[in-house]
Amino acid sequence: MEEHFGNLEKGVVEMGSEAEDKIEKDGGASDSECKADTGVPEVPPPADDTPEVLNKALSGLSSRWKNWWVRGILTLAMIAFFFLIIYLGPMVLMMIVLCVQIKCFHEIITIGYSVYHSYHLPWFRTLSWYFLLCVNYFFYGETVTDYFFTLVQREEPLRILSKYHRFISFALYLSGFCMFVLSLVKKHYRLQFYMFGWTHVTLLIVVTQSHLIIHNLFEGMIWFIVPISCVICNDIMAYMFGFFFGRTPLIKLSPKKTWEGFIGGFFSTVVFGILFSYLMAGYRYFVCPVEFSNDSNSFTVDCEPSELFQLQDYTLPSVLESITGWTTVKLYPFQIHSIALSAFASIVGPFGGFFASGFKRAFKIKDFANTIPGHGGIMDRFDCQYLMATFVNVYIASFIRGPNPTKVIQQLLALRPDQQLHIYNSLKAHLTERGLLAALEEAA
């Protein structure tokens, strides 16, 4: 496999060299610049940082079983930490998402810097982190304005920042763009544009997806917890089925992945999604959207649950009726949606991991980092989560979310009095034309 990648890389370099020779004949880049940009040193693999306590306790086991125990113990620790931050509330969850995003960005940017560090390119890391700051300022500003409009309108500084938010965001990005142009160095133009693209693709993959995760969280913590839990369940069960029963390779990018693990993970995740959704759908704390309360001057999670989270009777198909003997069954409608979420997590979600495996193979590294013993870096654990976040956000927008009357009223109250009167007269004429206003007046 490595031989194949080496030959492929050599072929690409030779093709690039031929193209550059042609450009040079036409008055393009110089030969020295072409040579300066073709070398790509390998990234050194991260060292094993398994805690010494675990190394001693598992010293008598084979490497296969040692890795199994290390992964298992650390997985239980991460699940416990996950439940702890859920208990601490949505604001803490949002901060954890931000921290994970920053760490994932750091791991990917570090790989890029390790590849090209021998060229001593100026401002690469500084500009990368600056662009991260700019993009986060834009996305978080949009989120605050969208979900906490009342708070923004009440505070004068926030109101001004909200009004000119997009202009400020663009001005910040434009400053970084100008700094990049000023940092260009002769003989390394192509490498610097590679890294410019590297940074922006990383921002697209990491920051945009984490922003969608926060949007899902504000729709109700259940839209955050259930999808993440389905991905975790699929990862664990696919590993377990593959470890004990795996015989048939699934994909060349990940030789350890097997069809047995893939299929076992799918059925386990669907069953888990249905049961876990039933458990969570009965609590307002998990199903209510996060809102800002003017009365308590704080963020609250309290509402009258929608029909999506109220038990309803469903008639079973004749096949299931003959097996179970039940005619109807009580379910939350959200459980039906959880089947779609868990199916995506177990069928399409793993392709996020395969994509990450291909990325790591391209640079001949085992893991993005060695942050978590037995698991690699944070990005190794969240490669599937980001793909899942996008699906959940699109799913909510397509099948769940409707117009929010509260947000419409908040926006109307922010208009000038003449604009409010115009909307009032237009709405009154519309209701009168439909005969609704007359019926309400008669009822009154």
Side-chain angles (χ1 to χ4, degrees), residues 117-157:
H117 75 284
S118 59
Y119 297 97
H120 302 290
L121 299 180
W123 297 7
F124 166 62
R125 284 189 295 189
T126 303
L127 284 173
S128 297
W129 288 103
Y130 177 79
F131 282 126
L132 176 68
L133 177 65
C134 293
V135 174
N136 270 314
Y137 175 80
F138 171 74
F139 278 130
Y140 275 85
E142 293 283 309
T143 300
V144 169
T145 302
D146 189 26
Y147 285 93
F148 309 118
F149 188 80
T150 305
L151 174 63
V152 170
Q153 291 300 312
R154 194 181 66 183
E155 302 292 337
E156 182 67 22

Side-chain angles (χ1 to χ4, degrees), residues 64 234-266 346-347 350 354:
R64 182 169 181 263
N234 181 70
D235 192 34
I236 294 172
M237 297 310 297
Y239 177 77
M240 295 291 286
F241 275 92
F243 185 87
F244 290 106
F245 308 108
R247 296 293 182 273
T248 314
L250 175 63
I251 187 170
K252 291 182 179 180
L253 281 173
S254 297
K256 293 183 180 179
K257 298 292 193 324
T258 63
W259 275 104
E260 290 81 3
F262 185 80
I263 296 171
F266 168 76
S346 52
I347 296 175
F354 302 152

Side-chain angles (χ1 to χ4, degrees), residues 273-287:
I274 294 173
L275 297 178
F276 192 54
S277 298
Y278 181 85
L279 178 65
M280 298 196 66
Y283 296 91
R284 293 188 180 187
Y285 180 72
F286 296 121
V287 304

Side-chain angles (χ1 to χ4, degrees), residues 81-82 105 119 168 239 249 256 265 311-312 333-334 349 375 437:
F81 178 71
F82 180 59
F105 182 83
Y119 297 97
I168 295 171
Y239 177 77
K256 293 183 180 179
L311 285 171
Q312 298 182 20
F334 180 79
H375 292 267
L437 194 60

Side-chain angles (χ1 to χ4, degrees), residues 420-439:
Q420 293 175 351
L421 284 172
H422 175 71
I423 292 174
Y424 168 75
N425 291 326
S426 300
L427 184 60
K428 182 179 179 181
H430 175 69
L431 293 175
T432 303
E433 184 180 338
R434 294 180 59 186
L436 297 175
L437 194 60

Side-chain angles (χ1 to χ4, degrees), residues 178-372:
C178 293
M179 285 190 290
F180 168 74
V181 174
L182 292 173
S183 72
L184 291 173
V185 177
K186 189 177 180 181
K187 297 186 179 181
H188 296 305
Y189 294 149
R190 188 155 58 92
L191 277 173
Q192 288 182 283
F193 277 100
Y194 281 166
M195 299 316 299
F196 185 78
W198 181 292
T199 299
H200 280 68
V201 170
T202 304
L203 291 172
L204 176 66
I205 293 175
V206 175
V207 182
T208 306
Q209 311 306 317
S210 64
H211 172 69
L212 295 180
I213 290 177
I214 292 173
H215 267 224
N216 300 340
L217 171 62
F218 283 133
E219 291 294 328
M221 284 200 289
I222 195 168
W223 291 106
F224 171 85
I225 297 171
V226 169
I228 285 182
S229 300
C230 285
V231 173
I232 294 172
C233 174
N234 181 70
D235 192 34
I236 294 172
M237 297 310 297
Y239 177 77
M240 295 291 286
F241 275 92
F243 185 87
F244 290 106
F245 308 108
R247 296 293 182 273
T248 314
L250 175 63
I251 187 170
K252 291 182 179 180
L253 281 173
S254 297
K256 293 183 180 179
K257 298 292 193 324
T258 63
W259 275 104
E260 290 81 3
F262 185 80
I263 296 171
F266 168 76
F267 286 106
S268 302
T269 304
V270 171
V271 173
F272 170 82
I274 294 173
L275 297 178
F276 192 54
S277 298
Y278 181 85
L279 178 65
M280 298 196 66
Y283 296 91
R284 293 188 180 187
Y285 180 72
F286 296 121
V287 304
C288 291
V290 181
E291 296 177 344
F292 181 81
S293 173
N294 283 320
D295 299 331
S296 60
N297 199 31
S298 62
F299 298 101
T300 60
V301 184
D302 189 24
C303 66
E304 186 63 33
S306 64
E307 292 183 0
L308 198 63
F309 305 105
Q310 295 178 10
L311 285 171
Q312 298 182 20
D313 290 324
Y314 288 90
T315 304
L316 289 176
S318 56
V319 177
L320 292 178
E321 184 180 345
S322 61
I323 296 174
T324 61
W326 300 338
T327 307
T328 61
V329 63
K330 281 187 176 294
L331 293 174
Y332 293 103
F334 180 79
Q335 289 180 270
I336 308 300
H337 294 292
S338 74
I339 296 175
L341 299 180
S342 56
F344 183 90
S346 52
I347 296 175
V348 183
F351 280 85
F354 302 152
F355 177 86
S357 296
F359 180 88
K360 289 182 285 187
R361 281 181 172 273
F363 293 97
K364 299 182 177 66
I365 56 175
K366 183 177 182 293
D367 298 309
F368 283 95
N370 56 353
T371 309
I372 311 171

